[in-house]
Every structure is written in structure tokens, then in C-alpha cells.
Amino acid sequence: MKVFGFATSLLALSTCEAFSPFYNGVHPLTTTRMTNQVLKAETLEGWKIDGKIKPVNNFILIKKAEDQKQTETGILLSKTAKIVKTEGTVVDVGPGKLHPDSGRPFPMPVEEGDSVIYGKYDGTELKIDGYTHSLIRDDDILIKFKGGQLTEENVEVVNDCVLVFVETRETETSGGLVLATGSDDQKRPSTGVVVKVGPGRMASNGDLIPMSVDVGDSVKFMDFAGNEIKIGEKEYSVVKMPEILAKF
């Protein structure tokens, strides 16, 4: 169970006038309004509020996408088996953190309306007006994209991240059964081809540190590094630049 005080420490609540819990878990029908790019909400974690919600530091407020309740073939999933998505739409963005040496603000990599995918175990969930939201850091973002559907053409990586296409090799048994090499007793691929390259990490003087790889490079990265994502039927890994060992 999330602690209300912890969740609100990641947000700035301004002009809050009243807090009152709803009893028996009943929430009245409410609306969420955007005023000057600040989320105007009426309930937060089941408490009635009258104020604007704004992320602080390098936190980003995401409205989560609904969990997948059935497979692509139409099979309905039970409550415990449904696919939990770590995907959502950016509602608001904090001002960003400061560089520890120079005090320069790091640019935030997303803006309101961007769609993002973030790490499976990242973020702090909270309910705003009955809808599930998540507060994530800018470093938690794996990819961003605009438009309704994620494609290789509209996907973008942020900061010093690199999107690598990894091809899963298949082997065939003597009986003709095709097996993928991604089974539990084998490590997943750690080589692939660079598809997208982020802008780079900011140095203390405010300049971006150049990335050492280009689109089209084949790369070897650390075993078990990166986060796996799927775009269409293809598998990719989002890898940070320091995790890439060599290119060829």
C-alpha cells in the first residue's frame, strides 16, 4: 500500500483547502482539468483536494495505459493473469534536477502529451480522480513516441540511451521442433544493431556528451544489461551508452 505522505512529497499541491476521505470506498464522479499545463484534480489517493498537482524535481506524472485484459487472439485473461503495462501518457513534467557540479538544470526529455514506456519496477502509483497514474523519474523512461501506435519510425530514445535490435536465434531439434534461444537456462542476446541513438548526457558546462555509436552500427553490450521492449513482432533492447562495450 502506498503511503499518502510519500506520494505527495513527489508532487506540489498548491492552494489545497480541504482533505476529507471518502467512506466505503465510494468515489463520486469527478473530472480532471488541465489549467496552464498543471493538473487540476479533485481527488488524490481517495482524498478530496482543491488544488493543482505539479511534479517536483525530475519527476514526471504519467497517466497509465489500461492493463491488457485479453490476448491478441481474443482469449480473456483472469485478474491475476492480465498483462500489466508500464506505458502511459505524460500529464505534467517537473522542472528537472540540477547538475551536482555546475548547478545547471538537466533538460527534461519529455513534454505533456508524449507517450512513454518505462521500467517494469519503476515509479510510484497513485490514484487521481479514480484513474491510475504513476510518478516516474526522467531516468526511468526507456522510449517515447507520439501518436497512438508505437512503431520503429516514431520511437525515440532519451538521454544517453540506445535502441538496439536483437535477433533471437532459433534452433531446430531432431524432431523438427523450433526452439528460441531465450530460454531460462540461456542468457538473452547481448549483441545487435543500433536502430536509434539518444541525444546524449549533459556535461557540467551544459553541452551534450557525444554518443560513441551511430545508427547501423553492430554493438556488443554487457550481459543482462538493458531493458527489453517489443515493437510489432520484433524484439529490442534499450541500453545506456556506458553499458555498450564495443562496436563492429
Side-chain angles (χ1 to χ4, degrees):
M1 180 180 295
K2 297 289 187 300
V3 179
F4 178 67
F6 174 71
T8 54
S9 69
L10 311 181
L11 297 163
L13 299 176
S14 61
T15 65
C16 292
E17 296 179 356
F19 287 79
S20 60
F22 296 115
Y23 298 99
N24 300 323
V26 178
H27 294 260
L29 294 176
T30 58
T31 58
T32 302
R33 302 184 298 277
M34 293 298 298
T35 306
N36 296 327
Q37 297 194 2
V38 177
L39 179 64
K40 175 71 173 178
E42 297 180 0
T43 65
L44 173 62
E45 293 287 83
W47 293 74
K48 186 176 181 180
I49 64 173
D50 183 12
K52 297 175 182 179
I53 298 177
K54 175 75 178 176
V56 298
N57 301 322
N58 62 326
F59 282 97
I60 300 165
L61 183 62
I62 306 292
K63 184 176 181 182
K64 291 193 64 176
E66 293 185 2
D67 297 337
Q68 187 174 331
K69 298 179 181 179
Q70 66 179 38
T71 65
E72 295 180 357
T73 56
I75 300 175
L76 294 175
L77 301 173
S78 66
K79 185 175 181 180
T80 55
K82 65 183 179 181
I83 300 172
V84 178
K85 291 188 174 182
T86 53
E87 178 184 337
T89 304
V90 175
V91 175
D92 206 352
V93 179
K97 61 184 178 182
L98 303 179
H99 194 283
D101 296 327
S102 64
R104 292 177 180 268
F106 283 95
M108 295 295 280
V110 294
E111 60 185 8
E112 179 191 343
D114 284 345
S115 296
V116 298
I117 294 178
Y118 52 96
K120 182 178 180 180
Y121 301 104
D122 295 327
T124 299
E125 284 194 3
L126 65 160
K127 289 278 190 179
I128 300 177
D129 290 349
Y131 294 97
T132 302
H133 291 67
S134 186
L135 282 163
I136 63 174
R137 298 180 187 271
D138 57 341
D139 289 334
D140 298 332
I141 295 174
L142 301 178
I143 58 172
K144 67 176 183 178
F145 61 99
K146 294 185 183 294
Q149 187 172 2
L150 173 62
T151 65
E152 189 175 296
E153 287 70 31
N154 68 4
V155 64
E156 297 180 55
V157 285
V158 302
N159 300 327
D160 60 344
C161 289
V162 179
L163 182 66
V164 179
F165 169 65
V166 290
E167 187 172 3
T168 303
R169 296 179 181 177
E170 295 179 337
T171 57
E172 186 172 331
T173 67
S174 58
L177 180 64
V178 176
L179 300 175
T181 59
S183 58
D184 292 339
D185 59 342
Q186 296 172 320
K187 59 188 179 183
R188 57 190 176 91
S190 58
T191 58
V193 178
V194 175
V195 176
K196 294 288 177 76
V197 179
R201 180 73 60 177
M202 189 185 79
S204 59
N205 62 357
D207 295 337
L208 293 176
I209 300 173
M211 300 288 279
S212 303
V213 297
D214 297 305
V215 173
D217 286 345
S218 295
V219 294
K220 161 68 179 174
F221 51 92
M222 295 179 181
D223 294 339
F224 306 107
N227 288 269
E228 294 176 312
I229 64 169
K230 197 170 184 180
I231 302 177
E233 296 301 319
K234 296 181 179 180
E235 294 184 358
Y236 301 80
S237 280
V238 179
V239 186
K240 291 187 178 294
M241 189 64 232
E243 298 171 335
I244 295 179
L245 306 177
K247 64 179 181 180
F248 53 95

